[in-house]
Structures are given as C-alpha cells and as structure tokens.
Amino acid sequence: MAMLIDLRSDTVTQPCAAMRAAMAAAPVGDDVFGDDPTINTLQQRVAAMAGKEAALIAASGTQTNLLALLSHCQRGEEYLVGQEYHTYRYEAGGAAVLGGIVPQPFEVEADGTLDLARVEKRIKPDDPHFPITRLLALENTHTGRVIPQAFMQQARKLVDKHGLKLHLDGARIFNAAVATGLSLQELCAPFDSISICFSKGLGTPIGSVLVGSKKFIARAHRWRKMLGGGMRQAGIVAAAMDYALDHNVARLADDHANAARLHQGLHGLPGLTLEPQHTNMVYINYGSLEDALKVSDYLREHGVLVSRAQRQRLVTHLNVSAADVERVIGLFAEALS
C-alpha cells in the first residue's frame, strides 16, 4: 500500500503547491555566469542571516561540506572530526578521495560534543612526518541534539590558539535556532564556514548553502566548478529555498512538539528503550534486530515507513501531523502487544 506516514527522515518531504508555484515563477539566468537573479538574491540573504560576507548555493549538504573541506585544506593536510559526524562517516570519504585530505576522527561524547582536551593533544606538531592539521569540523545538531553554544565558543578558542579553521555542518541549524531561541547569526558566529541544508526540515526538494568570507567562498566557487556542481538556470531551486525561509522556519517548532509527543506516547511500551528526545528526532532501541524488523514490517503493512534497524530513528517533519503521530503511537502499541 502507499506510504501515508514516512518517519525515516526529514529529507522525504514534498514541496507544497505554493513552493512549486514560487519555483515555476522564479526569474532565472545562467548561474555559472553569475546571471541568475534569484540565486544571487538568495545567497545574499543567507549570508546576511548568518552574519558572513558571502554564500554559495550547491545541490546538497554533502557537496557544501566537501567544498568547505577542499577550500580549507590542501593535499596532505588533515581535519579533526567526530567519528559519528556526517562529514566523516556519511559522505563517502570524499575529502580523502577527491582532496587528499586526511581525517583525524574522535569518539563523540554523549551530548554530541568532542573532548576538546583530547582534540588538542591530537593536533600535529610542525614535523614532516605528520600531516598538517588545518581544520576542526563540528556539527549542529547531532542525532537531533542541539550542541551547546558554550562548547562552540570553546572550540573557537582552541582553533584560534593553534591557528586552525572551524567548520560547521549545520544541516539542521534552523532546528537548533528554533529550539534555543538563538538567531542564525549567533549560532554561526564562532565558525569560519557553515554548511546549511534546506532539503531536510525546511522542506525544499534540493539545495544547500555554504557561507563564509568572500575569499573563502571564491575558493569554494572554483571547487564547485571543478566538481561539476555549477548549475545553469537554477533559480527555481533558490526560489524554493527562499520560500522555505519565509514559511518553514518557525513551524519547525511543530516538528519538535510532534517528536516530543511521539516520545511520550512510546515511553513504557514493552521491548522499547527510548533515548532522550531532542528537536525532531526520536531514537528507539530494540532488544534484538528481529524485534525491530517485526515492528517495522507491521508499521509498513499499515502505511507507516520507518528504518529497519535495531537502533531506530523516527523523524518528524512538515508532512507529519499531530494526528499522524497519534496513529503511529497506536500502531506501535498494536505491534508490541
């Protein structure tokens, strides 16, 4: 049967009719020549919101993260990163394969941070035996958790002490802004570069933006061209992103509330161990993979799609309503009865 409720990720959202209309009506030009007015306006808007000098649109968060790593680091240099962070684990090793950049991963703490004392010990001395440490890469949010801004400030002090740069994978940074009440500019302030994804909670079908200094974005622009990321009349993409900024940021609070209700409703059901809920994600741990598959199959038969994993992530988004959450809670109860 058709999937009526999809909780696998907030990347599965569908553009609404109004977003599609904005895309269809967007003035466009050749962005490789810098002639697309909708893209130019969007880039200026996001840069201003983030408090940075410039911005560059790209197809995905994986691409904007890669552009950042390639722009900060040269071949034989390294970046410091969390073992479970997206730039290290989930982006196919692009920095190493395409840039010759060496990752130095660290275990991630329970709150999504890194042990900065341990990070500092792994910064390489100026010795030809070692890769040159160039960058620390963080993320916000991590598994739905908002990383404390105090940690980001401590990380800034660390990189300044050692002459490094600081990059943020801000795939869901608007979730962090809504959850904390901090502005995008405040969250971005400690960082030299930030990747901001629009195709997750903001509901666009494609698109991310990289922000930073003018000099940095100029380097990223060259790398984007080299990687085949230059797009032509892509103002239709920027129009969707602009619509999302106008209509889909404040409503992220609804996703957070729906996730909180889902967590509450699943709490205490037999065979489930729930992790603390933050923003729009609920993590469930089953006693066995067999139990997880049994529940997943039952939900699928009743029009709910979830990941088939023993540690299961349920993600609320703009296409999941409060009524949907109540239905999901009831189906979990049935599957576990």
Side-chain angles (χ1 to χ4, degrees):
M1 64 182 299
M3 294 305 153
L4 303 177
I5 306 171
D6 194 338
L7 297 173
R8 292 174 300 169
S9 177
D10 44 11
T11 61
V12 302
T13 54
Q14 296 289 315
C16 66
M19 180 181 283
R20 291 172 185 264
M23 296 170 72
V28 298
D30 191 326
D31 184 51
V32 174
F33 290 127
D35 292 342
D36 193 300
T38 309
I39 286 181
N40 292 340
T41 299
L42 185 278
Q43 289 175 161
Q44 292 166 6
R45 181 181 185 184
V46 177
M49 291 177 67
K52 303 301 180 185
E53 291 180 339
L56 183 68
I57 191 174
S60 68
T62 295
Q63 189 171 75
T64 46
N65 279 327
L66 178 59
L67 294 176
L69 296 177
L70 293 171
S71 299
H72 283 303
C73 305
Q74 299 183 42
R75 301 184 70 83
E77 297 181 343
E78 76 169 0
Y79 73 107
L80 313 170
V81 63
Q83 182 85 31
E84 302 299 322
Y85 288 176
H86 211 278
T87 50
Y88 174 70
R89 184 167 184 177
Y90 295 103
E91 295 181 359
V97 174
L98 300 175
I101 303 167
V102 182
Q104 170 65 74
F106 297 85
E107 290 302 318
V108 178
E109 301 297 305
D111 64 354
T113 65
L114 302 180
D115 182 336
L116 292 179
R118 184 179 297 125
V119 170
E120 186 168 25
K121 289 180 181 179
R122 299 284 177 85
I123 295 173
K124 306 297 186 291
D126 185 7
D127 185 303
H129 292 88
F130 305 129
I132 299 169
T133 306
R134 188 66 66 193
L135 175 72
L136 173 59
L138 303 176
E139 65 181 33
N140 197 7
T141 60
H142 175 70
T143 62
R145 290 175 176 266
V146 177
I147 306 303
Q149 195 67 2
F151 169 79
M152 304 303 196
Q153 298 292 352
Q154 292 167 1
R156 179 74 253 174
K157 291 179 181 178
L158 175 64
V159 300
D160 286 344
K161 177 181 176 181
H162 293 277
L164 310 180
K165 297 296 184 180
L166 187 63
H167 172 68
L168 179 68
D169 175 7
R172 295 180 175 87
I173 195 168
F174 282 106
N175 290 87
V178 168
T180 61
L182 297 175
S183 69
L184 188 67
Q185 182 171 341
E186 289 172 309
L187 291 173
C188 292
F191 297 92
D192 297 291
S193 59
I194 305 96
S195 167
I196 303 172
C197 185
F198 283 71
S199 61
K200 295 183 173 69
L202 296 191
T204 70
I206 186 175
S208 289
V209 174
L210 180 65
V211 297
S213 69
K214 290 181 180 179
K215 184 177 180 180
F216 169 80
I217 291 298
R219 289 198 301 272
H221 193 277
R222 177 176 288 273
W223 274 115
R224 189 186 72 172
K225 178 63 178 176
M226 197 181 304
L227 294 172
M231 297 183 284
R232 301 297 179 175
Q233 291 73 29
I236 55 174
V237 175
M241 299 162 79
D242 201 52
Y243 179 92
L245 289 176
D246 289 336
H247 298 92
N248 290 348
V249 175
R251 63 146 308 281
L252 290 171
D254 297 337
D255 298 341
H256 299 178
N258 284 336
R261 170 57 189 143
L262 181 59
H263 185 273
Q264 177 190 48
L266 297 180
H267 184 74
L269 291 181
L272 301 184
T273 302
L274 273 66
E275 300 177 19
Q277 173 266 329
H278 303 268
T279 64
N280 66 323
M281 297 183 185
V282 176
Y283 280 86
I284 299 171
N285 291 279
Y286 293 86
S288 68
L289 178 59
E290 182 181 3
D291 292 340
L293 296 179
K294 176 183 176 182
V295 173
S296 299
D297 290 344
Y298 184 86
L299 293 173
R300 184 184 183 91
E301 291 169 3
H302 291 81
V304 177
L305 194 58
V306 298
S307 63
R308 292 167 58 80
Q310 189 169 347
R311 183 177 186 246
Q312 190 175 79
R313 184 185 73 168
L314 309 179
V315 186
T316 54
H317 48 76
L318 60 85
N319 293 142
V320 176
S321 67
D324 291 336
V325 169
E326 297 304 324
R327 173 167 169 74
V328 170
I329 292 170
L331 288 171
F332 264 94
E334 292 175 13
L336 293 165
S337 62

